[in-house]
Amino acid sequence: MTSFDSSPTLTVWRTLLALSVVFVLLMTTGWTAIRPQRVQGDPRQTALTAWRHGRIGTHELPDPQASPHVLARFFRSLTAPQRERLAREHPLVVGNLDGAPVQLRYLANRHALGRALAAERERVAGARLSADGRREAVRRMHRFDSLMRDDRQILSFDPDGKGRVAEVFGDLDRAERVSVIVPGVDTNLLTFQKSARKYTAPVGMAQSLYAAERAASPTTRTAVIAWADYTAPVGVGMDAAIGRLAESGAVRLVSMTGALPGRAPVSLFCHSYGSVVCGVAARRLPARVTDVAVAGSPGMRAENAAALGTGARVWAMRDADDWIADVPYLAVGGLGHGADPVAPEFGARVLSASRAVGHGGYFEPGTESLENFAEIGVGAYDGVSCAGDGNDACRSGISGSSAA
């Protein structure tokens, strides 16, 4: 006898539910969320063209799409002045090359930001911008100027379109533990850092986690990356309901984690749509990624943790006030992101998010969600708090944990 769960009737109802979700999204966000945005020019493509025709001494410049190992070997073959010359002459390429030395990428991105700032000033000085365009250009100028500060370590930067950026907190070259924050919808250059609601933006999330990790283990050298180096969906529209942007983001995430210096264990902390990116990337992540923790997840495009195909520990949390709990956890015809990661049958290690409030509150100081992230980030698994009173199931089977 066919079970109801696999019956054609249930499939039809799931399809209708998915279509109703799409209808609601289009009614509330409109088609603007799925229209491609016009690009006024692509500085990075121009930079790549110049790179492909360039040389340094007797060396041809490598394919920017080469593996991080090939690129690392190329940069090791150069003298320090040659490396700095490439960072100066080809900043938008060198600053985004997985495999280039970290410090050289910081230098290159400072040059790239300087060029982007000069270009934006020229736009503002012209007479062709609308009032709205001028306001956005001024905001971009302020963002570029802020990112150029001497105390900032910009690991990647691309000013094209809405822009992409990643920033490092701590000493990435010497870190004993590395944490990567993968944010969700509406992440771009202008939302990378916020004054109001600071801890809902990637920079605030990373600063909060970095401080919490140092408090959790003062003797552990940690580094935290605020990774907004993918094109995120705009609003809760069609792009947020499908996996297209997550798939392209996953490629970039796998490349970045595979090129990190040293051999330190890496933990991913994936918020909202960022958890979709992490789910798609999971089976291709390098072995040094030991933990994938998701918060406020709409799904990871998998029916259970085993289907992610990763050897990393999979953690999940959701606070009681998070509206994401009301989304349909299904996947029909490419719509939706699959099962609920905090559901018992998914098989993730479910963490407490006590004291976190709302969809954006997981990185607020003083929350149990942040404390749990910090314990995972420094590898102190015995200190994590599982969901449910007196429950230690999320720590079971981990070497060194009292619940092992």
Side-chain angles (χ1 to χ4, degrees):
M1 182 180 294
T2 302
S3 71
F4 181 70
D5 282 347
S6 59
S7 70
T9 302
L10 183 58
T11 301
V12 170
W13 278 111
R14 283 178 170 168
T15 303
L16 289 174
L17 177 57
L19 291 174
S20 70
V21 171
V22 174
F23 178 75
V24 170
L25 289 173
L26 294 179
M27 289 296 290
T28 55
T29 65
W31 289 101
T32 56
I34 58 176
R35 285 196 203 113
Q37 302 221 352
R38 276 187 63 204
V39 176
Q40 297 296 330
D42 191 337
R44 181 157 161 74
Q45 287 304 315
T46 302
L48 287 169
T49 299
W51 174 271
R52 291 188 178 104
H53 291 89
R55 296 180 67 88
I56 187 76
T58 60
H59 299 274
E60 291 186 0
L61 302 185
D63 182 351
Q65 299 301 317
S67 74
H69 298 294
V70 169
L71 294 170
R73 186 165 60 247
F74 166 74
F75 281 102
R76 284 196 300 269
S77 73
L78 304 180
T79 65
Q82 286 176 323
R83 288 192 289 269
E84 291 174 9
R85 177 184 159 192
L86 285 179
R88 184 175 61 254
E89 294 182 354
H90 302 277
L92 267 181
V93 179
V94 175
N96 292 284
L97 283 181
D98 290 328
V102 166
Q103 297 296 325
L104 190 69
R105 291 179 68 170
Y106 297 161
L107 175 64
N109 285 318
R110 189 163 286 113
H111 287 303
L113 281 158
R115 291 187 183 185
L117 178 58
E120 216 63 42
R121 282 175 174 157
E122 187 175 337
R123 289 182 67 224
V124 170
R128 301 182 62 180
L129 289 178
S130 65
D132 286 344
R134 186 177 299 276
R135 276 192 292 271
E136 179 160 333
V138 169
R139 289 182 65 199
R140 285 169 65 90
M141 285 172 51
H142 291 159
R143 173 64 70 238
F144 298 155
D145 190 48
S146 172
L147 292 172
M148 284 179 65
R149 287 201 326 251
D150 289 342
D151 62 337
R152 303 193 76 163
Q153 302 178 130
I154 306 305
L155 186 65
S156 59
F157 167 69
D158 184 351
D160 185 48
K162 293 291 186 180
R164 299 194 300 260
V165 62
E167 182 172 8
V168 176
F169 297 86
D171 187 340
L172 191 56
D173 284 315
R174 298 178 63 247
E176 297 171 315
R177 305 280 309 194
V178 177
S179 297
V180 181
I181 292 173
V182 184
V185 298
D186 290 328
T187 296
N188 55 56
L189 269 170
L190 294 182
T191 61
F192 185 57
Q193 184 173 3
K194 297 178 182 177
S195 298
R197 303 182 68 229
K198 172 181 177 178
Y199 302 110
T200 65
V203 168
M205 292 176 177
Q207 289 174 329
S208 183
L209 181 58
Y210 184 52
E213 287 183 349
R214 286 183 294 169
S217 182
T219 61
T220 302
R221 294 194 304 271
T222 62
V224 178
I225 302 172
W227 190 79
D229 194 24
Y230 81 104
T231 301
V234 178
V236 189
M238 180 70 81
D239 275 339
I242 60 178
R244 180 179 63 89
L245 294 179
E247 289 162 8
S248 58
V251 172
R252 302 181 68 82
L253 181 61
V254 169
S255 178
M256 185 276 291
T257 53
L260 290 172
R263 298 182 179 178
V266 177
S267 301
L268 304 185
F269 298 95
C270 319
H271 177 244
S272 193
Y273 189 85
S275 68
V276 186
V277 177
C278 291
V280 175
R283 67 180 59 252
R284 291 170 285 159
L285 292 169
R288 65 187 293 189
V289 177
T290 57
D291 298 276
V292 177
V294 303
S297 175
M300 300 180 74
R301 299 193 79 78
E303 285 308 302
N304 52 57
L308 292 170
T310 178
R313 286 172 286 268
V314 179
W315 309 81
M317 67 168 69
R318 186 173 64 224
D319 72 60
D321 301 311
D322 194 336
W323 59 261
I324 204 76
D326 296 325
V327 306
Y329 283 94
L330 49 79
V332 178
L335 297 169
H337 304 304
D340 183 352
V342 302
E345 57 270 23
F346 188 84
R349 300 172 181 272
V350 183
L351 295 160
S352 170
S354 178
R355 299 190 297 277
V357 178
H359 188 60
Y362 294 97
F363 290 86
E364 286 279 349
T367 59
E368 208 160 78
S369 51
L370 177 64
E371 293 166 6
N372 276 328
F373 286 160
E375 299 287 1
I376 292 169
V378 299
Y381 303 106
D382 198 40
V384 300
S385 302
C386 305
D389 293 336
N391 183 10
D392 62 1
C394 72
R395 298 195 300 271
S396 66
I398 302 177
S399 177
S401 169
S402 60

